[in-house]
Amino acid sequence: MTLTSPPIARRRFLTKAGIAAMMSGVAFPAPVGAAAGAAGLPTPPVTPRIPLVRTQLGRTRTDPYAWLKYVPKTGQRSVATLPAPIRAHLLAENEYAGAVLARVAADERVFFDAMHARAPVGAAEPDLIRDGWSYRIAYPDGSHPVYSRRREGSSETQTLLDEAERAKGHAYYRATAHQVSPDGRFYAWAEDVGGNDRHRVCVRDIASGEVRIVVDTDAYGYGGVVFSPSSRWLFWIWRDARNRPTRVYRTPVTGGAKVPVYEEADPAIFMQIGRTAADGFVAITLAGPDTSEVRLIPANAEERAPALVWPRATGRRYSIEEWNGGLVALIEDADALDGRIALVDRTGFAERGDLVPHRPGIQILQMASFRTALVRLERRDTLPQLVLTTPAGKQTQVAIAGEAYTLTMPPGQDHGSATCRATLETPSTPPTWIDVDLTTGAMTTVAAQRIAEFDPRRFEVRRLFATAPDGEKVPITLLTRRGSAADGTTPLLLYGYGAYGVSSEAVFDIAPTVLVERGWNYAIAHVRGGSEKGRRWFLDGRRHRKHNSFGDFVACARHLLATGHAARGKLVSYGLSAGGLLVGGSMNAAPDLWAGVIASVPFVDMLNTMSDADHPLVPLFRPDWGDPLSSEEDYDYMASISPYENVKRVPYPPLLTTAGLMDDRVGYWEPAKLVAEVRARSTADRPAMLLTDMAAGHQGSGGRDDQNRKMARFYAFAQGCVDGRFA
């Protein structure tokens, strides 16, 4: 069957009836079990090839696996609503992957047990003090957090949220947007119990313990819920049928009718909402990759329509904070690529000069406002640092030592505090919390997270640099056992992301330490497309320069081999979401380099997805990837790099992909199509697998053990790849 489209037509979603017609007369494979194929491996499902021809901008392509995509016209995708052929295929893929991975089940158990044993001892982080209360997060069951508080000087504890209790009876549970109201009477959070990122918003009356579901569905929890300064209202963001954050509402904290506040008509704009540091405003931030605007609602008029600060303009991005009686704006534009901080009038919003001018190559990442100082987090020579600025203009740089580390500022700090709380960590060292004196810059260590059965002295972190094909120096963060020899005998897992300007930070993660103790090295490739070396580093791995990300990743792999940190034939790549494009593209570019490839919820069907104008994220991210519906140049470039379109007749390494059935960011069909094409074209008899979580979306459930199980499976697969158990 063929389908010819007009040059700039939206992709047609396949209906149940359409899929049934396409599948008519096609013998669908029965679910597989332990039946053996070549090399003793189970026999994979045979994915029917039903060519769908698309003509777009005068170019024609054939998509043999388009039938795998299903988007319901109304409602949510679920196992029950899937067309029978697709449901049977996904279940067959799960069964096949389970049969193949049975070979490494013992390794998976060992990895999981080691990760599970490494639970935080005591509180997950030191208490955060605000308005005379100490706020605490602990993991009494080792998996789900309990949020609580106590009055300073008192031993009585008030439970704010027990996530394990809330998760009971749900196959999926993830909570976000945890916050206490400014008056301290209420505690709010957003929770997803369906795996589709559509949240309900809950409020606890702390004194009585009563929990109300203030918004019962369709809220956006990630930066989309905030108390008003008076604590009378919750402002929250509504998601439309395509899961786009589209409207802002306010609802009484005690429950009641929702009141519309703002609606965004442009599908290429994303929105978030929050309060400024001194509780003077509710701020609605509207942004795309290359533009933004902020609208403010003053605390003394919470029912007033939001006031526009500056209108959006292509090439300028800004955010607003409240400081020293006025406002400050962090601005990025053509003249300030890495950002500058401007003083802004509180009313009228006129600029009054720069507080921090632009300095090329030193990117301003974040600013936090306190009564006595504005604290900014900036990156210099790939490493983050804190700088304090007083109202009088004095600047103090806070010195941090180390080759590779991550520095963050926890949200929700008291604007009137004399200190700023910062968190310092490395891949070998759990978080250490530091209070920075806002007058002197002196640092006091408040606490260091302790992990059961873990000794950071057994590990070493190094910063290396690989040379890319065009001569750029690409940073690598390497985690090894202390004193281990770089003799070319150690297997290595290489992680990368490289998209949207999101940096792959050198954070502490229990899972890689377990992997390293099992005889591996672990590395992060800080490829272009992220912002590890500033805004230019992002732009050089974006749109028609995306091939730089792939070249950087391959260069990092070859550098690790050349320097003896990785063994030849024992190098495994791992990418998540847009990182799937990175590892998929690198797999096509150098298939013989990898012993195995792990792609979790991977963006790998780039050309087809970006040709879908109805996809919730496509309008937003056209500046990052291009628009193959209107630009021949964009079409041709995507066709040249999309992993699915560029599978070749070569021997591919073992491939493990994952998907979430309810995922509306990266549809399950993307990895399903890649797996099918690799199987069809690879000249090697090595497994290509798809595991679909039928109860989740883009993210797994929120418990630590759920994350540990996922990583244990990935690591067991990697172990099987380097041991030859999938050959």
Side-chain angles (χ1 to χ4, degrees):
M1 177 181 179
T2 62
L3 174 64
T4 302
S5 306
I8 309 180
R10 294 184 177 185
R11 181 195 294 182
R12 188 182 73 179
F13 287 128
L14 298 179
T15 64
K16 286 185 180 180
I19 291 172
M22 292 172 67
M23 297 300 293
S24 177
V26 175
F28 196 82
V32 297
L41 289 168
T43 303
V46 177
T47 313
R49 294 175 69 88
I50 307 172
L52 180 66
V53 177
R54 292 191 173 93
T55 299
Q56 194 170 316
L57 298 179
R59 289 142 173 81
T60 299
R61 68 184 186 276
T62 301
D63 186 353
Y65 304 114
W67 67 269
L68 284 165
K69 177 178 178 178
Y70 172 64
V71 178
K73 289 184 177 179
T74 59
Q76 298 297 305
R77 185 169 49 245
S78 68
V79 175
T81 63
L82 276 177
I86 297 177
R87 180 169 59 249
H89 183 73
L90 294 180
L91 293 174
E93 289 283 9
N94 278 357
E95 192 172 349
Y96 166 69
V100 173
L101 294 172
R103 293 186 168 207
V104 293
D107 296 271
E108 183 178 333
R109 186 74 230 178
V110 169
F111 279 123
F112 175 79
D113 287 346
M115 294 176 197
H116 179 76
R118 289 189 174 170
V121 178
E125 57 187 71
D127 294 359
L128 186 66
I129 310 301
R130 188 178 180 96
D131 299 327
W133 290 93
S134 296
Y135 290 87
R136 171 167 294 194
I137 308 170
Y139 286 79
D141 69 352
S143 183
H144 293 88
V146 172
Y147 296 79
S148 64
R149 74 174 184 180
R150 60 178 178 81
R151 179 76 71 179
E152 287 190 275
S154 171
S155 60
E156 182 181 352
T157 297
Q158 297 176 335
T159 297
L160 304 173
L161 172 61
D162 182 340
E163 287 196 11
E165 186 66 29
R166 297 290 299 181
K168 286 180 180 177
H170 299 291
Y172 181 98
Y173 184 87
R174 178 177 285 271
T176 186
H178 309 82
Q179 57 190 287
V180 69
S181 62
D183 65 5
R185 292 178 53 205
F186 303 101
Y187 191 78
W189 66 93
E191 58 186 22
D192 176 8
V193 296
N196 57 6
D197 277 350
R198 303 184 81 91
H199 296 85
R200 60 189 187 189
V201 181
C202 306
V203 174
R204 179 187 295 274
D205 184 313
I206 300 175
S208 69
E210 178 188 1
V211 175
R212 300 183 185 89
I213 298 177
V214 176
V215 181
D216 60 0
T217 188
D218 294 339
Y220 178 67
Y222 303 112
V225 180
V226 70
F227 282 106
S228 70
S230 70
S231 304
R232 293 174 51 223
W233 307 94
L234 269 176
F235 285 83
W236 56 278
I237 294 174
W238 174 82
R239 306 191 78 157
D240 67 14
R242 295 191 180 100
N243 251 355
R244 292 171 178 151
T246 303
R247 299 176 191 159
V248 177
Y249 289 101
R250 69 172 185 270
T251 299
V253 168
T254 54
K258 62 185 181 185
V259 179
V261 175
Y262 177 81
E263 181 167 7
E264 177 56 51
D266 187 347
I269 293 295
F270 203 76
M271 64 171 66
Q272 291 191 304
I273 191 164
R275 281 196 321 277
T276 54
D279 287 342
F281 299 90
V282 170
I284 303 171
T285 301
L286 305 149
D290 289 326
T291 189
S292 68
E293 70 179 34
V294 177
R295 294 172 181 263
L296 298 177
I297 303 169
N300 60 3
E302 293 176 347
E303 299 176 45
R304 183 185 298 172
L308 176 64
V309 178
W310 303 318
R312 65 193 74 169
T314 300
R316 181 183 66 181
R317 290 164 49 89
Y318 71 95
S319 59
I320 293 290
E321 186 52 276
E322 185 181 12
W323 183 63
N324 193 31
L327 301 174
V328 286
L330 172 55
I331 302 168
E332 297 174 358
D333 57 24
D335 296 323
L337 202 61
D338 290 307
R340 63 184 175 92
I341 298 178
L343 297 168
V344 179
D345 285 336
R346 193 179 184 93
T347 58
F349 309 132
E351 273 197 60
R352 294 191 290 107
D354 284 347
L355 180 68
V356 181
H358 176 244
R359 296 145 303 152
I362 302 175
Q363 187 178 28
I364 303 173
L365 305 173
Q366 182 186 355
M367 54 185 180
S369 170
F370 296 87
R371 188 168 293 133
T372 56
L374 184 73
V375 183
R376 70 180 185 270
L377 180 65
E378 60 186 30
R379 197 187 307 273
R380 183 192 298 261
D381 297 328
T382 77
L383 295 175
Q385 61 183 11
L386 291 179
V387 182
L388 318 178
T389 302
T390 67
K394 177 186 175 184
Q395 295 200 35
T396 303
Q397 183 174 321
V398 180
I400 304 290
E403 282 191 54
Y405 60 83
T406 296
L407 190 66
T408 55
M409 291 187 289
Q413 300 193 48
D414 188 344
H415 179 71
S417 175
T419 60
C420 170
R421 175 76 46 90
T423 308
L424 178 66
E425 58 189 302
T426 79
S428 68
T429 310
T432 297
W433 287 271
I434 299 165
D435 279 354
V436 179
D437 187 286
L438 294 174
T439 302
T440 66
M443 295 183 289
T444 302
T445 298
V446 177
Q449 186 179 75
R450 291 188 299 130
I451 305 294
E453 301 185 18
F454 175 76
D455 182 356
R457 294 172 297 183
R458 297 200 294 261
F459 302 90
E460 185 175 358
V461 175
R462 294 183 58 194
R463 175 59 58 82
L464 311 175
F465 290 88
T467 302
D470 62 356
E472 283 282 5
K473 298 299 181 183
V474 185
I476 304 170
T477 299
L478 178 68
L479 176 68
T480 68
R481 287 164 293 168
R482 186 168 296 280
S484 63
D487 57 7
T489 64
T490 307
L492 184 141
L493 184 75
L494 181 63
Y495 172 79
Y497 187 75
Y500 307 126
V502 176
S503 298
S504 297
E505 303 291 353
V507 298
F508 177 77
D509 185 347
I510 287 169
T513 68
V514 169
L515 183 68
V516 168
E517 284 197 329
R518 290 270 291 170
W520 286 68
N521 288 337
Y522 174 80
I524 304 169
H526 301 283
V527 302
R528 278 173 281 187
S531 294
E532 287 88 340
K533 295 176 75 171
R535 179 81 174 172
R536 181 187 65 83
W537 199 246
F538 161 51
L539 297 177
D540 279 351
R542 184 196 205 202
R543 204 157 183 164
H544 297 167
R545 301 177 190 173
K546 187 61 194 171
H547 62 277
N548 286 333
S549 301
F550 304 161
D552 290 354
F553 196 67
V554 170
C556 289
R558 289 182 171 147
H559 182 78
L560 290 162
L561 289 168
T563 54
H565 293 294
R568 296 192 180 277
K570 296 187 176 182
L571 181 62
V572 177
S573 65
Y574 169 41
L576 168 69
S577 191
L581 181 68
L582 179 70
V583 299
S586 301
M587 178 181 70
N588 285 335
D592 59 337
L593 189 60
W594 315 103
V597 175
I598 303 166
S600 181
V601 292
F603 176 42
V604 288
D605 191 14
M606 183 188 199
L607 180 57
N608 286 314
T609 292
M610 292 305 298
S611 296
D612 177 6
D614 288 326
H615 188 289
L617 296 182
V618 161
L620 176 64
F621 290 129
R622 281 177 180 142
D624 287 303
W625 306 119
D627 183 6
L629 292 172
S630 63
S631 167
E632 295 176 357
E633 185 181 11
D634 288 352
Y635 183 106
D636 292 342
Y637 189 78
M638 284 187 202
S640 74
I641 67 169
S642 176
Y644 174 55
E645 262 77 24
N646 287 279
V647 176
K648 300 176 288 190
R649 289 289 295 170
V650 296
Y652 276 92
L655 170 65
L656 175 61
T657 71
T658 67
L661 184 63
M662 272 75 78
D663 192 347
D664 69 334
R665 303 186 211 179
V666 179
Y668 67 84
W669 51 87
E670 293 207 28
K673 291 165 71 173
L674 179 69
V675 163
E677 190 69 353
V678 168
R679 281 196 200 127
R681 296 183 63 81
S682 178
T683 59
D685 188 24
R686 297 166 184 150
M689 294 174 281
L690 169 67
L691 276 171
T692 303
D693 188 332
M694 298 297 194
H698 200 61
Q699 303 180 89
S701 199
R704 275 189 171 154
D705 279 350
D706 296 288
Q707 175 70 9
N708 288 340
R709 287 188 188 94
K710 179 183 79 171
M711 297 312 299
R713 177 159 290 180
F714 289 168
Y715 291 175
F717 167 77
Q719 189 70 57
C721 290
V722 302
D723 289 349
R725 279 177 275 178
F726 302 133

